[in-house]
Amino acid sequence: MQNIQSIKSQICRIGRIMYERGYISGPDGNISVRVDKDKIITTPSGVSKGFLNEDMLVLIDMEGKILEKTNYKPSSEIKMHLKVYQEREDVNACVHAHSPYATTFAVLRKPLDKPILAESVFIFGGYIPVAPFATPSTFEVPQSIAPYVKDYDAVLLSNHGVLTYDKDLEMAFYKLEIVEFWAKILFMSSQIGTPQVLSPEEIQKVLDLRKDK
């Protein structure tokens, strides 16, 4: 089992960064970390992630059942996180945000499919899908992302936001940053002209770098 106190501190820190950067507003967004095979720490429902403290975080099992007495309820979107953990044994952290540029593409229901940045190709292969619209907080959400979880490390949620995940919280947040930056550059460059995508040969050169990592 990971050090729970350290993980709680990290969740609060990442929550504050997300809030300060405008990736979330009000009680939006959520964070979770798998600390053991069947134990998850999640942010609470209805609380701004910019003002979290460690006592607000909730320990649950893989069914969403609360394992420790608390005055808080787990995030209403925890079903989406649990779906990722169930499908991906290599994933130990999920971050959900409503970051403006990524969410703009989600509202347009447009995937991030233009490989304009080497980083977007290296990290995501140059493509992030859009899941169909699902009513927030319901079982529709995990069902909507199910087709994409195994093959992608990020999913845009139609008219909702973005979900990223990885082996630990730092990497999951790092991927959120890359998604948002990619969406921002694509949006801004489209206002000036036609973004020039990397050629197949250029993409392959970037993908080859993965082998050397």
Side-chain angles (χ1 to χ4, degrees):
M1 181 186 291
Q2 298 187 60
N3 185 305
I4 289 183
Q5 211 56 42
S6 175
I7 292 298
K8 286 184 175 183
S9 175
Q10 188 181 35
I11 290 173
C12 292
R13 180 171 62 84
I14 295 296
R16 285 191 291 273
I17 294 172
M18 290 170 62
Y19 179 78
E20 290 165 359
R21 292 188 182 176
Y23 292 174
I24 49 178
S25 62
D28 290 351
N30 31 75
I31 301 167
S32 71
V33 176
R34 174 157 48 187
V35 294
D36 204 351
K37 183 179 179 181
D38 57 356
K39 292 180 180 177
I40 312 290
I41 295 177
T42 179
T43 48
S45 177
V47 174
S48 170
K49 310 311 170 288
F51 299 91
L52 286 174
N53 65 58
E54 295 174 17
D55 292 338
M56 296 176 178
L57 303 179
V58 186
L59 183 67
I60 62 171
D61 64 15
M62 288 291 286
E63 307 273 312
K65 180 196 264 184
I66 297 173
L67 298 177
E68 292 181 349
K69 187 176 180 180
T70 176
N71 293 323
Y72 296 89
K73 295 180 180 179
S75 167
S76 60
E77 299 287 8
I78 195 59
K79 303 176 193 70
M80 173 172 64
H81 297 232
L82 293 176
K83 183 63 176 177
V84 175
Y85 295 131
Q86 289 160 5
E87 296 288 332
R88 295 276 300 269
E89 291 184 359
D90 60 315
V91 166
N92 292 309
C94 297
V95 177
H96 167 52
H98 298 175
S99 51
Y101 288 96
T103 302
T104 295
F105 280 83
V107 167
L108 292 169
R109 302 191 184 184
K110 289 175 64 71
L112 283 170
D113 59 359
K114 290 186 170 53
I116 58 171
L117 301 171
E119 292 80 5
S120 66
V121 173
F122 186 83
I123 300 297
F124 296 108
Y127 185 85
I128 295 175
V130 184
F133 177 75
T135 308
S137 305
T138 71
F139 283 102
E140 292 177 19
V141 181
Q143 291 170 358
S144 74
I145 67 169
Y148 310 103
V149 172
K150 288 186 177 179
D151 297 321
Y152 300 95
D153 291 343
V155 183
L156 299 179
L157 310 170
S158 288
N159 300 81
H160 188 170
V162 58
L163 175 69
T164 60
Y165 34 93
D166 208 305
K167 62 181 181 180
D168 57 41
L169 182 52
E170 183 175 316
M171 288 300 297
F173 176 66
Y174 170 63
K175 288 189 171 176
L176 172 64
E177 290 185 297
I178 295 293
V179 172
E180 181 64 4
F181 186 72
W182 179 9
K184 181 177 181 179
I185 296 301
L186 184 53
F187 177 87
M188 293 174 67
S189 59
S190 298
Q191 309 309 302
I192 300 171
T194 302
Q196 300 300 298
V197 300
L198 299 176
S199 70
E201 293 77 15
E202 291 166 335
I203 289 172
Q204 190 57 53
K205 286 180 180 179
V206 175
L207 293 176
D208 287 343
L209 294 175
R210 290 178 171 181
K211 302 173 186 176
D212 302 326
K213 192 178 178 189

